[in-house]
Amino acid sequence: KGITAIVDSLKYNKAITSINLFGNEIRLEGARAIADTLKHNNTITSIDLGINQIREQGIREIATALKYNKDITLLNFYHNEI
């Protein structure tokens, strides 16, 4: 799907530091792709996931990925389904 392809393309990208995915109807599958990318990419420092449809399990998977990525300074989950 679209969000998975976009996020997967960032997995080893060393130029992009900020991702704005605000209002994209991201659900569990997209959250899992984001989590997987964060495990491999430590260049990304800011992710805006506001106004999506990420529920508790998706948030947990992204939070777990932060064990591998200590460089995130901004992570917005505003107005998700949590």
Side-chain angles (χ1 to χ4, degrees), residues 58-69:
I59 300 295
R60 286 181 194 268
E61 294 199 24
I62 292 170
T64 299
L66 296 179
K67 292 178 185 178
Y68 303 93
N69 184 324

Side-chain angles (χ1 to χ4, degrees), residues 27-66:
R27 296 186 174 128
L28 182 57
E29 182 180 340
R32 284 184 172 146
I34 292 165
D36 187 51
T37 293
L38 291 178
K39 289 177 184 176
H40 296 92
N41 183 315
N42 61 358
T43 305
I44 297 170
T45 59
S46 172
I47 305 175
D48 189 344
L49 295 168
I51 306 186
N52 279 288
Q53 297 174 3
I54 303 172
R55 295 179 183 226
E56 185 176 344
Q57 182 61 36
I59 300 295
R60 286 181 194 268
E61 294 199 24
I62 292 170
T64 299
L66 296 179

